Amino acid sequence: MKNKKYVLITGGTRGIGKGLVHAFSNEGYSVIFTYINSVDSALAIEKEANASELSVKGYRCDVTNLKSVQKLADTLFEDDIVPVGLINNAGITKDALFARMSSDEWNSVIDTNLNSVFNVTRSFVSKMMELDKASIINISSISGHKGNLGQTNYSSSKAALTGFTKSLSLELARFNVRVNTISPGYIDTEMLQLIPDDQRKKIKKSIPLRRIGTIEDVASLALFLMSDDASYITGQSILIDGGMSA
Ligand code: NDP
């Protein structure tokens, strides 16, 4: 996997992350992705990609654990692998009304959605700053821009990514490392597929473009932000929500 354009995607075994792995490898990037539990899924993704001669490799790495992330970074650096792109995608929800929210529900969401972004970005950023150019994309959510019942933990973690992105983009601009955030609205992932049909209909009605977003919608935006076509875009938080936040 040497002399290639590497992109590191956290949480690549399911949902949006899996779609990003697919899209970036098909676009010619060498993709490194992480996961925590889904070993079989990771192997299947690697196998399928490699059968099509795409360069995809998964690593089990708990992004909430700095040591685990540093171990991954050391492994890659030893092989002279420095990603030109980093997508902080891994994320979880643990919804509960705030009056009933446990400290575990609060802390695990902040750890996975926010502290992980520190762990991963901090472990890779110095080497990325040594490249001619690089790009970091943080996957936030519409819930980081507007409130959602039962999501004080999730909204807090995702809103924080906006501030993180803005400040880091200022620090890294002189190294030509761009930092942006993508904030999806409703996207057709496994989570949404569990919602009963009548509720899905209501959701669709609440979206100005009258459809639920696809994983491909998000992947297209990520590919654009990673590309030279977006070389003058940094520090931005781009909502991809069918107009919900308009
Ligand atoms: P999924 O729940 O489908 O997948 C989450 C991914 O993150 C999995 O690959 C999972 O690995 C990985 N992961 C979770 N915790 C860790 C950890 N501690 N260390 C390493 N990897 C971990 O997520 P979605 O596709 O639904 O969401 C992806 C991102 O998009 C998230 O940040 C989410 O907040 C955001 N988002 C999603 C929306 C949606 O509609 N789905 C809408 C708006 C934002 P494993 O499979 O091993 O568990």
Side-chain angles (χ1 to χ4, degrees), residues 11 13-14 16 36-38 61-63 89 140 154 158 185 189:
T13 39
R14 289 185 280 125
I16 292 173
I36 184 160
N37 296 311
S38 308
C61 166
D62 179 0
V63 291
N89 164 77
S140 177
Y154 186 74
K158 294 300 191 182
T189 54

Side-chain angles (χ1 to χ4, degrees), residues 2-200:
K2 284 195 174 161
N3 301 322
K4 293 182 180 168
K5 270 195 309 182
Y6 293 97
V7 62
L8 170 62
I9 299 168
T10 67
T13 39
R14 289 185 280 125
I16 292 173
K18 186 175 172 184
L20 292 171
V21 170
H22 183 73
F24 276 80
S25 55
N26 276 291
E27 198 65 22
Y29 288 88
S30 293
V31 176
I32 292 153
F33 69 92
T34 68
Y35 60 96
I36 184 160
N37 296 311
S38 308
V39 182
D40 291 347
S41 168
L43 291 174
I45 291 168
E46 272 185 4
K47 199 172 161 196
E48 193 188 324
N50 297 340
S52 313
E53 299 194 354
L54 301 175
S55 174
V56 172
K57 191 155 172 47
Y59 290 85
R60 193 173 199 173
C61 166
D62 179 0
V63 291
T64 66
N65 181 322
L66 183 58
K67 279 199 181 138
S68 172
V69 179
Q70 280 172 339
K71 198 170 150 208
L72 170 64
D74 290 344
T75 304
L76 298 179
F77 297 157
E78 266 167 31
D79 271 346
D80 290 330
I81 295 174
V82 177
V84 296
L86 162 62
I87 307 183
N88 286 307
N89 164 77
I92 58 166
T93 51
K94 283 202 178 165
D95 293 1
L97 291 175
F98 185 72
R100 290 189 212 139
M101 186 174 286
S102 68
S103 59
D104 174 64
E105 284 162 340
W106 176 267
N107 289 326
S108 57
V109 169
I110 299 292
D111 271 348
T112 310
N113 298 0
L114 176 60
N115 293 336
S116 71
V117 175
F118 169 83
N119 294 339
V120 180
T121 310
R122 183 68 186 80
S123 299
F124 284 91
V125 75
S126 301
K127 292 274 189 190
M128 292 174 79
M129 285 156 70
E130 291 169 9
L131 303 171
D132 286 344
K133 61 183 170 190
S135 170
I136 298 170
I137 298 172
N138 300 312
I139 306 295
S140 177
S141 165
I142 191 173
S143 298
H145 298 262
K146 65 192 276 292
N148 211 4
L149 287 177
Q151 291 202 321
T152 50
N153 50 0
Y154 186 74
S155 292
S156 302
S157 70
K158 294 300 191 182
L161 293 181
T162 305
F164 175 88
T165 295
K166 283 182 182 293
S167 291
L168 189 64
S169 72
L170 295 179
E171 291 185 24
L172 299 187
R174 68 195 175 98
F175 301 98
N176 202 20
V177 179
R178 296 178 297 106
V179 191
N180 292 291
T181 293
I182 292 177
S183 294
Y186 287 110
I187 303 299
D188 201 2
T189 54
E190 288 137 45
M191 192 176 68
L192 217 76
Q193 281 152 16
L194 297 177
I195 295 178
D197 264 1
D198 56 331
Q199 228 177 309
R200 276 173 74 93

